[in-house]
Amino acid sequence: MKKITLLMAWFALAAFAQEQEIAAQEQEIAVYVTGDIGVNEKKVLGSKMLSSFVKSGKYKAIEKQDEFLIAALDSNAQANDLAKQFGASAICAVNVMPVFGSYQVSARITNVETAEVIAMSDVDSPLKTIDDLNEVSNKVAVAMFGVPNVQVTLPQPEVQVAPEVQVAQPQPVLQDSVKVKKDNGSGFYFRLSGSYAFGAGEASGSSDLGLPGSSTKSSRNIEYREVFGDVRTDINEGKTTTKNEPFSLGEGIKIGLGLGYMFNRNIGFEVHGGYFFSSVEAIKNSNNSKNKRYTNNTSSNTRHETNDIDQSSSSSEIYTLSRTGIILTPAFRFVAPINDVFSLYSLVGVSIPISDEVIYEYEEHASNKYRREQNVTTGTNLNTPQISTITNRTTTTTNTWSNSDEYKKEEYTSFFELGYSASLGLNIALGSVVSLFVEGNITTASFQVEEKTMKEWTEKTRNQDNNNTNTNFLANMSDDAKVTKYEKEKTTNVNSTSTNNKQLSFSLPASSIGASAGLMFKF
């Protein structure tokens, strides 16, 4: 009776061991290799390691093991997530570390659901030949499960472990496979960037701003001659060139700082602040005129008079717009990794002007010159020079000139106007913390005028006697006249006695298309 009971117990224990073996064979495993060896060596070592595990009878490979081996993975945590997606119930993280001219291969098998460590082993090898890779994979399998291809047939609840099993301290890289939340790509980052933008959505001039819609360059040359009253030649040459001069306040330089947080390796949120500066010479006009006249008249036989007259004038106008401001851009960040080094990303958000102002400057330079040389000759029979007698000759020269310079400066502030911003860029990892990025961006925005303040308005004149006259028009203006308020809606009350200077608001284009480059720091 005891023999029958013992025999039945032996069969039950054997059946239990066989069921455990079958259950183990049904578990699918994925192998992930990291460390300081080449990409091809990682793939081969991973394949060899997987083959040894399958031969041990403990596991079988996942269907997408090849895809898993060539996947671009930044951490053991990402490998753990990808293995779970591919249907693996366990993952073997293999780390190869150079030590004193050789390599230490550390392997650890964990449950992808519970992060429980199932088995681990360390093996040293020079890793110089394909035989070294075979030897390493076999040693790891033997250390973890015993000799490959040997099935467990004895009714023992515990599997015997080969003598060379080493209980090693957890390696830092392998510990990351347990701490999934720490290295899943989430965390804060900081960006420093510089960019230049070209104006988009340009407009030509603004009558409210006092800015013409086109530039003009004109010149004129008039020459008139009359010799002794019988020969006359007129030369009148001149041309005027006018061209359209569109402008946009979006053109300029921006220096920015950004702080963001990645929820995972693909999605994040960023707040970017930038100081913007632009200077646009919107319109430049010039006008040059030159008159020259020679008159030679003989009024009688006793008097002859000659007049040479040169007269010229020139003027130029320059209209300049300068915009400065701090622009805040909150945006969602979407990342598409290409491999361990390169990744594409996009930013989609809004553009919020924190402070935004435009300085409008007008300069006019004008000069006039007049020169006359008069020759008077008196005598006898001046119509017959060969027998004439000159009694007197007088030469008189007259020179006059004047210069004037006018300068006007006005400051415009804007209503709060939201814009939209989008960027597409490439991130290049320079290390685990620092990366370089380049991106193209587009911003749609407008500058809607809220208030104008007159800052300067002067005129300086000077003549040939060095008499200078300086006029400050601003000093004679009242405080109300210096400030103009602009409203989006204007209602006029005929019974109102208010003297406030209010006008209907207008918008200036401030959209742009530009490029940025900078550095990104993870922490």
Side-chain angles (χ1 to χ4, degrees):
M1 185 67 179
K2 291 182 179 181
K3 292 182 178 180
I4 295 175
T5 302
L6 183 60
L7 185 60
M8 292 178 64
W10 187 86
F11 276 111
L13 188 59
F16 173 79
Q18 186 175 9
E19 289 176 359
Q20 291 295 103
E21 186 65 27
I22 294 174
Q25 289 178 353
E26 292 177 352
Q27 294 184 358
E28 294 183 334
I29 191 171
V31 178
Y32 168 50
V33 181
T34 62
D36 193 14
I37 59 175
V39 176
N40 292 334
E41 287 80 0
K42 290 180 181 179
K43 294 179 180 179
V44 174
L45 180 59
S47 299
K48 297 289 184 182
M49 198 75 70
L50 180 63
S51 177
S52 297
F53 292 165
V54 173
K55 290 179 181 179
S56 70
K58 294 293 184 180
Y59 298 95
K60 64 179 180 179
I62 61 174
E63 295 181 359
K64 298 183 179 181
Q65 175 62 31
D66 292 338
E67 296 181 26
F68 184 83
L69 283 174
I70 65 175
L73 301 171
D74 296 332
S75 65
N76 288 341
Q78 295 179 4
N80 195 80
D81 292 340
L82 186 60
K84 187 185 300 183
Q85 295 177 16
F86 284 179
S89 57
I91 182 173
C92 178
V94 182
N95 182 39
V96 181
M97 301 179 61
V99 180
F100 301 117
S102 184
Y103 291 87
Q104 183 186 56
V105 181
S106 301
R108 171 175 293 183
I109 298 177
T110 58
N111 188 298
V112 298
E113 294 292 339
T114 64
E116 178 185 2
V117 178
I118 299 174
M120 59 184 179
S121 174
D122 292 339
V123 176
D124 296 330
S125 173
L127 293 183
K128 293 183 177 180
T129 65
I130 192 69
D131 292 334
D132 292 339
L133 295 178
N134 287 326
E135 182 180 5
V136 166
S137 60
N138 286 330
K139 283 185 177 180
V140 170
V142 169
M144 288 183 174
F145 315 117
V147 181
N149 292 325
V150 177
Q151 304 295 325
V152 178
T153 56
L154 295 177
Q156 297 180 356
E158 296 183 358
V159 179
Q160 296 295 327
V161 181
E164 59 266 33
V165 172
Q166 300 178 12
V167 180
Q169 294 295 325
Q171 299 297 325
V173 175
L174 296 178
Q175 288 178 351
D176 290 343
S177 63
V178 178
K179 299 179 181 179
V180 177
K181 185 176 181 180
K182 179 180 179 181
D183 292 325
N184 66 350
S186 64
F188 288 95
Y189 66 87
F190 170 78
R191 293 207 307 160
L192 174 65
S193 65
S195 64
Y196 186 83
F198 298 91
E202 296 178 328
S204 297
S206 172
S207 59
D208 300 287
L209 193 63
L211 185 69
S214 60
S215 65
T216 302
K217 182 178 181 181
S218 63
S219 62
R220 188 178 183 185
N221 184 13
I222 300 176
E223 186 172 316
Y224 170 74
R225 298 180 182 181
E226 182 179 340
V227 182
F228 299 111
D230 56 3
V231 177
R232 177 170 177 163
T233 303
D234 291 333
I235 300 176
N236 189 346
E237 295 180 345
K239 61 181 180 179
T240 300
T241 302
T242 302
K243 64 177 180 178
N244 194 26
E245 294 286 2
F247 71 94
S248 172
L249 296 178
E251 181 174 353
I253 299 172
K254 183 167 69 174
I255 300 174
L257 302 175
L259 179 64
Y261 181 80
M262 295 299 298
F263 304 111
N264 53 51
R265 68 195 302 252
N266 300 114
I267 301 176
F269 185 78
E270 173 182 324
V271 177
H272 187 273
Y275 175 77
F276 181 84
F277 172 77
S278 69
S279 181
V280 181
E281 188 178 280
I283 301 295
K284 188 174 183 179
N285 295 329
S286 65
N287 180 34
N288 296 294
S289 178
K290 184 177 181 181
N291 299 326
K292 191 172 185 180
R293 183 177 181 181
Y294 304 85
T295 62
N296 299 290
N297 298 315
T298 301
S299 58
S300 66
N301 288 336
T302 60
R303 179 182 173 89
H304 178 70
E305 183 176 341
T306 302
N307 291 287
D308 295 338
I309 299 174
D310 286 318
Q311 185 176 1
S312 63
S313 63
S314 65
S315 65
S316 64
E317 295 178 307
I318 301 175
Y319 300 81
T320 304
L321 297 173
S322 301
R323 180 187 174 203
T324 57
I326 297 176
I327 310 298
L328 197 66
T329 307
F332 284 99
R333 182 182 179 92
F334 304 95
V335 181
I338 300 175
N339 52 37
D340 292 340
V341 177
F342 299 97
S343 62
L344 292 173
Y345 69 89
S346 63
L347 292 165
V348 179
V350 294
S351 178
I352 305 174
I354 302 300
S355 66
D356 203 2
E357 67 177 23
V358 169
I359 299 298
Y360 165 75
E361 295 177 278
Y362 169 77
E363 299 177 60
E364 182 184 25
H365 306 279
S367 66
N368 292 284
K369 295 182 180 180
Y370 177 83
R371 180 183 182 278
R372 178 179 181 179
E373 184 175 301
Q374 184 179 34
N375 298 302
V376 178
T377 303
T378 58
T380 305
N381 296 325
L382 294 180
N383 281 333
T384 310
Q386 63 272 22
I387 60 173
S388 63
T389 299
I390 299 174
T391 60
N392 186 32
R393 178 174 290 168
T394 304
T395 300
T396 304
T397 302
T398 303
N399 285 308
T400 62
W401 61 268
S402 65
N403 293 331
S404 66
D405 297 301
E406 181 182 359
Y407 177 74
K408 183 186 294 185
K409 180 179 179 181
E410 298 172 337
E411 179 184 277
Y412 288 82
T413 58
S414 173
F415 283 103
F416 179 80
E417 291 288 335
L418 280 178
Y420 300 95
S421 176
S423 302
L424 180 63
L426 175 66
N427 201 75
I428 306 170
L430 303 179
S432 59
V433 176
V434 183
S435 60
L436 172 70
F437 68 87
V438 290
E439 69 181 33
N441 46 64
I442 181 171
T443 301
T444 60
S446 64
F447 186 95
Q448 186 168 15
V449 176
E450 181 181 19
E451 184 176 285
K452 176 184 73 174
T453 303
M454 183 75 72
K455 294 295 185 179
E456 295 183 47
W457 190 9
T458 60
E459 184 181 50
K460 298 179 181 179
T461 60
R462 183 182 180 187
N463 59 23
Q464 75 277 0
D465 297 325
N466 289 324
N467 293 325
N468 298 325
T469 302
N470 298 327
T471 305
N472 187 353
F473 298 106
L474 193 64
N476 300 323
M477 297 176 63
S478 64
D479 292 339
D480 288 342
K482 294 178 184 178
V483 178
T484 303
K485 301 285 187 178
Y486 293 88
E487 300 177 341
K488 294 183 178 181
E489 293 183 358
K490 183 180 178 182
T491 302
T492 303
N493 188 345
V494 295
N495 296 320
S496 175
T497 59
S498 175
T499 59
N500 291 336
N501 189 9
K502 295 184 178 181
Q503 302 291 336
L504 192 63
S505 179
F506 60 94
S507 294
L508 299 174
S511 299
S512 64
I513 299 175
S516 303
L519 295 175
M520 177 175 174
F521 304 88
K522 297 179 181 178
F523 59 92

